[in-house]
Amino acid sequence: MDNKKTEQLKNYTVNNEEQHGLTTNQGLKIAEDEFSLKAGQRGPTLMEDFHFREKMTHFDHERIPERIVHARGVGAHGIFQLYESLEDITKADFLTNPSKVTPVFVRFSTVQGSRGSNDTVRDVRGFATKFYTDEGNYDLVGNNMPVFFIQDAIKFPDFVHAVKPEPHTEIPQGASAHDTFWDFIGQNPETAHMVMWVMSDRAIPRSLRMMEGFGVHTFRLVNAAGRSHFVKFHWKPVLGMHSFVWDEAQQIAGKNPDFHREDLYEAIEKGQYPEWELGLQLIPEEDEHKFDFDILDPTKLWPEEEVPVKLVGKMTLNQNVSNFFAETEQVAFHPGHVVPGIDFSNDPLLQGRLFSYTDTQLSRLGGPNFHQIPINRPVCPFHNNQRDGMHQMTIHQGQTSYHRNGLNANQPAPVPAEQGGYEHYQERIDGRKIRGRSESFLDFYSQAKLFYNSLAPYEQAHVKKAFSFELGKCKSSHVKANAVALLNHVDRSLAQEVADQIGVSLPEENMEVISDKSSPALSMANTILAPDTKKVAIVRVGDPDVEQFAEWTTALTEHKVNYTIVGEKLHDLPNPLRVTATYETTDPTLFDAVLLVSSEASIPTPALAFIETTFKHYKPLALALSNQQALATARVKLDEAGVYDLTNSTIQAFINGIAQGRFWERPL
Ligand code: HDD
């Protein structure tokens, strides 16, 4: 699945499978790599041992600083292709030519934890896409939520200090359930909308392949005639949006801390390529002030029912990285990497980001030439008069490195806009220099309420539980009370329930913003339901009928459902019933559904635990038992929704259940 970018990367790969022989970095062949050079077999190591020193020095410097936020992530290569030309609204080449296949690299991440933290924590997910276009790299550096915690970038260091592990203990890792985060929320009411999202199921996605992406800010698209539209970018997952339940996410953090990373890697290796459609919400320049929110405020979304999302193209991730450090760790994104036809708005959060990203790469990647690292290089030519610096990889030729020069015909010379040179949109600005917040940014609660109103009852119940969990972990009663006071502005009954649960009193005055407005697009209950790429554990007890078994597995495979046969011990015989994971090496939380097949009179406790856990997490369950009594002691109700007895129900019914995903109506 090579594209222009992956072909380019091949120029930088080295394959040690070829018989090169071991050398130093200077190319000297090494005869001995197990023993340092010593003065006598039992004597001290000698300074002269250049091989030891080189090997050890390199090792000592293998680590680079992790990202200050979004440290844990996973990346993959892919392509983007447009459905039809958008030349009416932008002159960006990759958005006007539907026959063009643009290589992309995407890095997904969590925000709070360090590089070694768990994948399934409650957190925002980063969704950063680098388009390697023929006009230069375009980076869409977004998240899986459409709004942000703060309105002005100057608060970003404060926000990050509050959410990161606390400075005196470096606790907690990969979690926002602690005092400084909730103190920040309570003290900064602009966070109200975003914190509703983070307490919702959006913050615990089932898969990185099953979540939306958002550019968050309002950007600008400009066409060849110079006409401008404001735009919000969306990524819509073809598999729909799905999430864990909280108990499951917590258990997976222990059972498989790499769950999301592995899920993405395996899907791509299997050829089940993750796909997203790119969506645009567009507002013509002249309609900027026609909304009941300020479109420059990054704590506001544009309800899809008011500003429809136009689907304009598809991204497919179809190649895993071949070296995590070289590609995923060294990739450097920046919202300021734009191409002609894409421009910025005056969102004060975006404006600050335009400074921060290059700056951070200087310390993370060690100097100003990080754009020359293979993963970061554009696929189009790049020339300018910048020279030298740490890790310069290019041998620039010639006498001149300045503009204007007469000695080299002023090359490299600026390119006029008509020939593809970037030109900033000539926005008219008229104002006083001021440190302050626009009054139009002061409505903190209406959209927090809009989001809550839009959720299905079970989603609202999850939000209540999430607030109760997180605030229940806080120690300061002052912090807890302030957070409840914030919720009191959003939804009185939510504030009431959380207050009861965490032992603080509800403010006497009801401050709830009055609005029954909702936006169905915000609820995940309305998403696409499909069995594709879901994972089933087939728990095998005894020796089930091979033919019947083959019929089921064929049906699952036909519906692109992946399955693993789980049993007490691993088998190595080539047999369709071969057990490849045991009760010890895997766990029910790692699957979307369970099929229990038993030929025995009784079912062992670990197999019962498999189906009980699956039942408890509202997931579909199929049973094919030679003895129904074997389940007499299990805490599973056979007549409940999403439980299929394969002696009288079809495998197709179970597959439909897998598509549905969860059965919230189960009384638990
Ligand atoms: Fe940021 C990384 C997304 C606000 C400063 N950010 C980073 C990454 C993502 C985002 C996805 C990881 C990129 C990767 O995978 O390498 N950030 C966002 C979004 C924001 C946002 C969607 C709000 C809408 N960020 C934001 C602000 C600032 C930063 C306001 C500072 C002014 N972000 C950074 C950073 C990072 C970063 C410190 C850390 C590592 C990096 O940039 O390369 O510069």
Side-chain angles (χ1 to χ4, degrees):
M1 282 297 163
D2 275 322
N3 60 49
K4 243 188 221 180
K5 182 64 193 177
T6 52
E7 286 292 346
Q8 184 198 48
L9 289 178
K10 283 186 189 153
N11 297 324
Y12 301 93
T13 59
V14 174
N15 192 345
N16 276 335
E17 280 161 18
E18 290 157 27
Q19 307 272 311
H20 294 303
L22 182 72
T23 71
T24 64
N25 288 335
Q26 305 308 316
L28 177 71
K29 294 192 182 79
I30 292 297
E32 169 56 67
D33 191 36
E34 280 184 90
F35 305 107
S36 45
L37 187 70
K38 303 181 200 74
Q41 282 199 340
R42 300 179 63 249
T45 305
L46 298 177
M47 179 75 104
E48 184 188 321
D49 190 350
F50 56 81
H51 171 48
F52 169 84
R53 277 188 284 115
E54 183 196 82
K55 182 175 173 181
M56 198 54 69
T57 305
H58 196 279
F59 169 75
D60 290 341
H61 296 266
E62 270 176 17
R63 289 289 167 271
I64 61 171
E66 66 173 32
R67 290 169 175 80
I68 167 77
V69 278
H70 297 268
R72 180 164 180 86
V74 57
H77 295 276
I79 51 168
F80 172 77
Q81 197 160 5
L82 196 66
Y83 294 150
E84 58 188 53
S85 174
L86 298 171
E87 64 191 346
D88 284 355
I89 47 170
T90 177
K91 60 180 172 184
D93 174 61
F94 82 108
L95 293 178
T96 53
N97 185 350
S99 64
K100 197 155 254 182
V101 174
T102 303
V104 297
F105 186 78
V106 175
R107 183 173 178 274
F108 301 105
S109 47
T110 53
V111 176
Q112 197 265 8
S114 356
R115 263 191 74 181
S117 54
N118 295 314
D119 278 350
T120 58
V121 297
R122 175 178 296 284
D123 200 352
V124 183
R125 298 298 183 289
F127 191 142
T129 309
K130 193 179 280 294
F131 296 82
Y132 300 95
T133 86
D134 292 336
E135 298 180 299
N137 291 348
Y138 169 57
D139 292 354
L140 181 54
V141 196
N143 282 337
N144 74 331
M145 297 179 191
V147 289
F148 203 64
F149 291 97
I150 49 172
Q151 294 171 322
D152 191 314
I154 200 167
K155 279 194 181 188
F156 191 69
D158 302 295
F159 164 68
V160 173
H161 287 171
V163 68
K164 278 274 180 180
E166 297 191 7
H168 56 316
T169 54
E170 226 199 18
I171 297 174
Q173 184 57 241
S176 55
H178 61 112
D179 284 73
T180 55
F181 173 73
W182 285 100
D183 188 25
F184 186 88
I185 300 299
Q187 299 291 332
N188 294 275
E190 71 208 65
T191 57
H193 187 190
M194 179 67 167
V195 85
M196 297 296 292
W197 281 81
V198 181
M199 293 304 111
S200 80
D201 295 346
R202 299 271 184 154
I204 41 173
R206 149 68 179 84
S207 164
L208 302 167
R209 303 176 289 122
M210 300 173 191
M211 61 182 201
E212 287 185 314
F214 302 89
V216 181
H217 310 282
T218 295
F219 290 89
R220 202 187 267 285
L221 292 179
V222 186
N223 70 12
R227 177 160 156 71
S228 148
H229 279 82
F230 291 108
V231 60
K232 291 254 194 216
F233 292 104
H234 295 244
W235 289 116
K236 299 271 188 192
V238 168
L239 293 174
M241 291 179 277
H242 307 284
S243 283
F244 290 125
V245 294
W246 179 226
D247 180 61
E248 197 182 17
Q250 286 181 292
Q251 290 193 36
I252 296 172
K255 294 291 181 183
N256 184 0
D258 304 305
F259 184 91
H260 281 148
R261 189 175 273 202
E262 205 168 84
D263 171 271
L264 181 72
Y265 181 86
E266 283 180 354
I268 295 175
E269 287 303 297
K270 285 196 181 97
Q272 297 176 340
Y273 299 140
E275 292 175 325
W276 286 262
E277 291 188 285
L278 180 68
L280 305 182
Q281 281 178 300
L282 295 165
I283 296 182
E285 169 106 28
E286 55 277 13
D287 292 350
E288 178 177 359
H289 301 291
K290 286 198 178 154
F291 298 87
D292 61 359
F293 49 85
D294 190 330
I295 68 165
L296 298 186
D297 177 355
T299 67
K300 302 296 184 297
L301 52 85
W302 302 354
E304 290 185 27
E305 295 74 15
E306 278 176 63
V307 187
V309 178
K310 179 183 163 72
L311 298 175
V312 301
K314 188 183 272 182
M315 174 168 77
T316 307
L317 297 184
N318 56 15
Q319 198 176 80
N320 280 311
V321 301
S322 59
N323 184 294
F324 186 92
F325 180 84
E327 300 171 69
T328 310
E329 195 57 16
Q330 293 201 108
V331 67
F333 293 94
H334 178 18
H337 292 163
V338 286
V339 289
I342 304 184
D343 210 314
F344 313 111
S345 74
N346 294 329
D347 169 348
L349 193 71
L350 171 61
Q351 291 286 320
R353 290 180 78 193
L354 296 179
F355 164 74
S356 182
Y357 286 73
T358 306
D359 187 44
T360 205
Q361 314 306 349
L362 296 178
S363 67
R364 199 170 75 77
L365 298 171
N369 290 314
F370 59 85
H371 61 283
Q372 296 183 22
I373 295 173
I375 191 69
N376 295 324
R377 299 176 80 90
V379 292
C380 61
F382 52 104
H383 301 283
N384 54 44
N385 289 311
Q386 295 165 31
R387 289 291 181 274
D388 310 344
M390 294 275 196
H391 320 301
Q392 177 60 258
M393 299 291 156
T394 307
I395 306 172
H396 293 105
Q397 306 290 295
Q399 187 184 9
T400 60
S401 52
Y402 53 90
H403 174 81
R404 299 177 157 262
N405 72 65
L407 290 174
N408 189 30
N410 198 28
Q411 287 301 325
V415 182
E418 315 74 69
Q419 292 166 30
Y422 189 86
E423 206 181 32
H424 289 264
Y425 181 69
Q426 295 192 8
E427 183 187 2
R428 187 188 161 84
I429 302 285
D430 183 14
R432 289 179 188 279
K433 212 187 276 179
I434 184 174
R435 266 189 205 281
R437 168 160 41 199
S438 166
E439 280 197 12
S440 56
F441 277 39
L442 287 176
D443 172 11
F444 304 140
Y445 306 113
S446 297
Q447 286 208 350
K449 178 79 171 165
L450 170 82
F451 178 69
Y452 194 61
N453 284 348
S454 308
L455 300 181
Y458 73 85
E459 291 177 301
Q460 290 187 336
H462 294 170
V463 168
K464 282 175 204 159
K465 280 196 161 177
F467 273 109
S468 305
F469 174 91
E470 296 256 322
L471 290 166
K473 291 266 185 184
C474 292
K475 297 187 177 66
S476 158
S477 40
H478 177 67
V479 163
K480 289 189 250 199
N482 270 348
V484 167
L486 186 82
L487 293 183
N488 187 41
H489 284 271
V490 180
D491 187 281
R492 179 79 169 168
S493 73
L494 169 64
Q496 170 80 67
E497 278 196 45
V498 174
D500 278 356
Q501 193 63 34
I502 64 170
V504 301
S505 46
L506 185 68
E508 272 180 24
E509 194 181 345
N510 179 356
M511 306 286 283
E512 177 178 321
V513 57
I514 306 298
S515 166
D516 57 4
K517 201 169 152 183
S518 72
S519 165
L522 300 181
S523 168
M524 299 207 296
N526 307 318
T527 195
I528 299 162
L529 300 176
D532 306 41
T533 80
K534 299 252 180 94
K535 293 180 191 164
V536 177
I538 304 183
V539 178
R540 173 189 160 174
V541 177
D543 283 306
D545 175 44
V546 177
E547 261 179 43
Q548 172 68 87
F549 202 84
E551 197 184 300
W552 291 331
T553 51
T554 308
L556 291 172
T557 308
E558 272 168 13
H559 288 85
K560 300 204 184 85
V561 176
N562 301 312
Y563 65 89
T564 303
I565 303 180
V566 181
E568 194 183 351
K569 290 181 186 165
L570 295 178
H571 301 160
D572 60 0
L573 298 171
N575 176 326
L577 302 182
R578 190 161 74 98
V579 170
T580 55
T582 66
Y583 302 131
E584 281 174 355
T585 60
T586 192
D587 193 75
T589 53
L590 307 178
F591 297 92
D592 298 293
V594 166
L595 164 55
L596 172 64
V597 195
S598 169
S599 60
E600 302 294 296
S602 68
I603 295 171
T605 312
L608 283 182
F610 241 83
I611 59 169
E612 285 175 345
T613 307
T614 303
F615 184 77
K616 182 175 127 187
H617 292 148
Y618 311 90
K619 296 190 281 201
L621 202 58
L623 305 162
L625 310 176
S626 60
N627 175 14
Q628 298 283 349
Q629 285 311 307
L631 278 190
T633 59
R635 277 166 295 170
V636 169
K637 300 185 188 76
L638 295 176
D639 54 352
E640 277 302 334
V643 181
Y644 307 89
D645 177 356
L646 290 187
T647 54
N648 58 31
S649 145
T650 62
I651 190 76
Q652 186 58 48
F654 178 48
I655 291 169
N656 295 345
I658 296 171
Q660 165 143 357
R662 308 269 174 181
F663 294 85
W664 302 113
E665 60 270 50
R666 272 182 208 162
L668 293 169

